[in-house]
Amino acid sequence: MTVERILAAKGRDVVTTAPSKRVADAVATLARRRIGALVVVEDGDRIVGIVSERDIVRLIATKDADALEQPVSAIMTKSVVTCNEGETIDSVMARMTRGRFRHLPVVGEGRLRGIVSIGDVVKARIEQVEHEAEEMRAYIATA
Ligand code: AMP
């Protein structure tokens, strides 16, 4: 199964923010949209970073009174690891595990095409395993 199949099922909507936005705005968006990360873009959909709830937890731990007034650019991860639609679930799972992050923006021809989270990947993997088990049961029943 590929990233393309995951996007076909969940959609290609990516919630983004801008590097100049306040962290407080990013927090409000994460809460309102019930998601764990925002892709940071400039000039439409050029990826310049990613900010996740983990970056915000780290920021709050500094106990800086003005923490949430800082721009997103101050806390985002700038070197964003991405994937493309043709990649397999196993490949993106391995990349998330190695990088210790739970979100991978999907890019194609230099454009943002979607995003997959660890939740999407695990769901797809479970469906795949269930499908294989079902096929195995059907095969044994007819043997
Ligand atoms: P997450 O597990 O996705 O909440 O993110 C954990 C940490 O990795 C945070 O510092 C994020 O900014 C960073 N991060 C999340 N996704 C990516 C990604 N695709 N590429 C690079 N860093 C990321």
Side-chain angles (χ1 to χ4, degrees):
M1 201 189 280
T2 61
V3 168
E4 189 179 13
R5 282 275 292 277
I6 295 180
L7 293 183
K10 73 169 264 206
R12 291 170 178 276
D13 187 28
V14 185
V15 185
T16 61
T17 187
S20 56
K21 283 267 189 223
R22 292 179 319 139
V23 173
D25 296 324
V27 169
T29 306
L30 290 172
R32 194 176 61 249
R33 304 295 294 258
R34 297 172 179 267
I35 53 175
L38 299 172
V39 179
V40 188
V41 297
E42 253 177 354
D43 314 324
D45 65 359
R46 186 167 59 87
I47 301 173
V48 294
I50 188 161
V51 62
S52 93
E53 52 202 358
R54 205 158 279 182
D55 301 309
I56 289 155
V57 167
R58 264 190 229 120
L59 177 68
I60 290 170
T62 65
K63 295 197 177 126
D64 177 352
D66 296 330
L68 298 182
E69 297 306 313
Q70 290 186 45
V72 165
S73 59
I75 65 160
M76 68 187 189
T77 300
K78 291 187 176 113
S79 53
V80 183
V81 180
T82 61
C83 66
N84 63 63
E85 293 190 42
E87 285 187 59
T88 63
I89 289 172
D90 288 348
S91 154
V92 296
M93 228 175 190
R95 196 164 310 153
M96 285 177 171
T97 306
R98 257 199 316 274
R100 294 172 179 269
F101 41 67
R102 298 164 292 179
H103 301 89
L104 267 185
V106 185
V107 295
E109 289 161 12
R111 301 194 57 200
L112 185 55
R113 305 262 177 204
I115 189 164
V116 288
S117 74
I118 190 75
D120 300 325
V121 175
V122 168
K123 180 171 176 281
R125 192 76 181 91
I126 289 170
E127 280 168 10
Q128 192 179 32
V129 169
E130 280 172 353
H131 178 69
E132 283 167 9
E134 193 48 55
E135 280 190 336
M136 194 74 80
R137 275 194 289 273
Y139 174 73
I140 290 166
T142 57

